Amino acid sequence: MTRRFGDRATFAVEVGEVESPTLRTIDVWAAGTHLTTDDNSAYLPSLRPAMRSTAARIRRRDVPACPYPGRSPETVFRLLEQDGTEFRERFWFLQWGEILDNVSRYAYLDGDLVLVFSFWRPTHPVPDDLGAIFVATLPPDEFTTTVLAAADLLDAESVR
């Protein structure tokens, strides 16, 4: 049975079937878009701490402000992608391993948490999405609640 945390329209984590003691099906959604289309088998010993670390970072508001104020999120994404220096690394987001390695993703604070992402892999199942830039905006506390609820479930089930 799959358990959904959050809202697919903004940001959601869906915890699915157990594949082995260390692997679990995890689906991540943002802006109504399924991000984990290429690989949703998550290695739990690294995913759980990564999720908690990401949630703690957002709770502390340890995410930079918009790097290009007054520009659209799509333009911000393009400018970060073109940057090629360490500057853009400050905005890398959701470093959750192989389940999200088909997506370029950045985040910044602009009042709310702004997630901007695009699929880059040519084998992405929905070719029409290649190059499209997606934007999800949500309150930081909503993001944190979603991620921690999913991590709590994974932690609880790992001790069984």
Side-chain angles (χ1 to χ4, degrees), residues 55-112:
R57 185 175 159 211
I58 299 303
R59 178 177 279 147
R60 292 188 311 268
R61 305 302 195 262
D62 186 17
V63 178
C66 180
Y68 305 103
R71 307 252 177 122
S72 72
E74 294 83 0
T75 299
V76 169
F77 179 90
R78 286 186 195 96
L79 291 169
L80 288 171
E81 279 289 282
Q82 294 167 4
D83 183 81
T85 70
E86 292 179 13
F87 173 74
R88 77 175 175 173
E89 292 176 17
R90 295 177 47 211
F91 300 90
W92 283 351
F93 197 64
L94 296 177
Q95 303 300 313
W96 290 0
E98 66 283 346
I99 63 171
L100 290 169
D101 68 359
N102 63 320
V103 183
S104 294
R105 60 217 173 270
Y106 302 99
Y108 57 89
L109 291 174
D110 193 10
D112 283 333

Side-chain angles (χ1 to χ4, degrees), residues 23 25 29 34 42 45 113 126 129 132:
L23 292 176
T25 300
W29 292 77
H34 187 206
L113 179 65
V126 185
D129 286 350

Side-chain angles (χ1 to χ4, degrees), residues 102-156:
N102 63 320
V103 183
S104 294
R105 60 217 173 270
Y106 302 99
Y108 57 89
L109 291 174
D110 193 10
D112 283 333
L113 179 65
V114 180
L115 310 174
V116 290
F117 58 94
S118 181
F119 295 97
W120 62 267
R121 188 176 289 156
T123 58
H124 177 67
V126 185
D128 293 344
D129 286 350
L130 280 177
I133 298 169
F134 300 90
V135 179
T137 304
L138 68 159
D141 292 339
E142 181 180 320
F143 176 87
T144 299
T145 297
T146 296
V147 173
L148 288 177
D152 287 348
L153 175 66
L154 293 172
D155 284 346

